[in-house]
Amino acid sequence: MNSNNPFFDNIEKKTNVKKEDILEIANSVSNADFSDPKVVKELIARIGSTAGVPVTKEKEEAIVKAITSGNLPSSFSSLSKFFGPKQ
């Protein structure tokens, strides 16, 4: 992964998460078993903690269910709606 990509700078500006943290998380999950709910919950907690964003149990369970069942949205727009606030 090219850490000099402006993509990382944009994410850092919008989220206050350092690109080093993003790369560290990405590297740590490169061989993760996403069918294991425990692995997914640990990842959610780590990302939430790194980003300084609390994740409710309800949201965590919805994310775990979607990831472990392979039922994630395929587009960024759909993904952002999935993780965004309920309307």
Side-chain angles (χ1 to χ4, degrees), residues 33-42 64 68:
D33 178 6
F34 290 109
S35 66
D36 182 346
K38 183 179 178 201
V39 170
V40 176
K41 284 182 182 187
E42 289 171 358
V64 169
T68 58

Side-chain angles (χ1 to χ4, degrees), residues 1-30 34 43 46-52:
M1 216 177 295
N2 180 2
S3 63
N4 293 325
N5 188 321
F7 171 79
F8 291 104
D9 294 329
N10 289 334
I11 290 176
E12 192 169 339
K13 287 177 189 172
K14 291 182 180 184
T15 65
N16 291 321
V17 176
K18 297 177 185 172
K19 64 182 162 187
E20 292 81 15
D21 293 335
I22 296 167
L23 292 172
E24 186 179 312
I25 290 171
N27 288 331
S28 74
V29 300
S30 62
F34 290 109
L43 177 61
R46 184 171 180 193
I47 293 171
S49 174
T50 301

Side-chain angles (χ1 to χ4, degrees), residues 39-83:
V39 170
V40 176
K41 284 182 182 187
E42 289 171 358
L43 177 61
I44 294 167
R46 184 171 180 193
I47 293 171
S49 174
T50 301
V53 176
V55 180
T56 65
K57 280 290 182 194
E58 179 183 83
K59 180 80 68 172
E60 178 187 77
E61 289 303 320
I63 295 168
V64 169
K65 183 177 179 183
I67 291 173
T68 58
S69 69
N71 201 17
L72 280 176
S74 58
S75 72
F76 182 74
S77 174
S78 298
L79 191 61
S80 63
K81 287 178 186 174
F82 179 80
F83 287 108

